[in-house]
Amino acid sequence: MNYLKFLLLLPVFALFIGCGSDNSANQAVRFGTGGTGGMYYAYGSELAKLIQADNEKFILDVKTTAGSAANLRLLREKFLDLAIVQSDTLSNAINGRGVFATAGPGAGYAAVAGLYTEACQVVVAKDSGINEIGDLVGRKVSVGERESGVLQNAEQILMTHGLTFEMIEPNYLSFAESAAALESGTIDAFFVTAGAPTAAIADLAAKKDIKILSIAPDIQNNMMKLYKGYTRCTIPANTYANQPEDIQTVGVKAVLVANVDLNDDKVAFITEFVLNNAKNLPHNSTNESLNVDYAVQDIPSSFHAGAAKFYDSKGVKVNIYSGKSGESVKAGQD
């Protein structure tokens, strides 16, 4: 009888032994991106393909998410290994501000590399009669998904123009949902923060006459003074169909971030691969070529030890995550 019980329990023992074994080298890296109509998803999908072609044993499992805030929460809760987030959202998370105030200063994730500049884009129908941000009063506007960085950008852009969510009819839609809603006329405008051209906007522009609102230089100045992480950004003419003029707006940096538990060698490999293959990856058409300097400048958090290992090989020193929460430090170079 005891022998029979032992045989029956063998699969259970095997399961626990399997769970305790170190098979991290063969596990897929869970990569949080964003919605399917945005640049994060396009970037992550292409990166996964390129890495798979280069090293078939290294697998990126690309996940669709609500965006930056969701990605940082999922990294903290260890549901993701790697993610792309906005630099301004990362700054808030590291310091426990805004939507991160309840959770407190961020811990458990660290920067890998700044990737490209994301343009804040406000899209309307060409015949909407909306010519500037102030014209959004009383309109149905998609301000991004809940837990997205876009939501914060939309609120700050509106506030800098003297508007609040109470003065519009806010909708909380993904990029793809927003584009479909504008096409059908169920919303009047939508906010997008992403590298340009953004797939959802480009697809919409091929089917419907649209325009993207510019942000005046004085408003840009105010935003850069009031909120960390913003920079001037130009969307060149003809980035989208029937866009004859440059669009002047603000932007933030897209940052690749890793869970600190992710193997150092894997992170070093990813860091080097991203920089070496930048020209083959989707990015903002306004951005300079990605290099080590761009990758480490103006990053509001410390760096993963694996990324630091790569940068050190290039003669660049960065602050390494030490395990403390709220490590709000700017990358330093020697």
Side-chain angles (χ1 to χ4, degrees), residues 174-240:
S174 69
F175 294 171
E177 291 169 340
S178 296
L182 189 74
E183 183 181 7
S184 66
T186 55
I187 63 171
D188 301 301
F190 65 94
F191 282 80
V192 163
T193 301
T198 306
I201 301 175
D203 292 344
L204 176 63
K207 298 180 286 187
K208 183 181 180 69
D209 286 338
I210 62 169
K211 60 184 175 184
I212 300 172
L213 304 182
S214 282
I215 296 177
D218 60 324
I219 300 294
Q220 294 178 33
N221 290 338
N222 290 340
M223 288 198 69
M224 290 186 289
K225 289 177 183 176
L226 289 170
Y227 310 110
K228 290 184 177 180
Y230 286 104
T231 184
R232 297 187 192 281
C233 184
T234 299
I235 303 173
N238 302 313
T239 296
Y240 298 108

Side-chain angles (χ1 to χ4, degrees), residues 283-318:
H283 63 284
N284 191 338
S285 59
T286 68
N287 205 58
E288 298 177 359
S289 298
L290 178 61
N291 55 36
V292 169
D293 288 340
Y294 184 89
V296 303
Q297 286 173 356
D298 299 319
I299 304 299
S301 72
S302 50
F303 281 77
H304 192 287
K309 179 180 178 181
F310 168 76
Y311 294 129
D312 188 61
S313 72
K314 300 298 180 182
V316 175
K317 302 293 184 183
V318 295

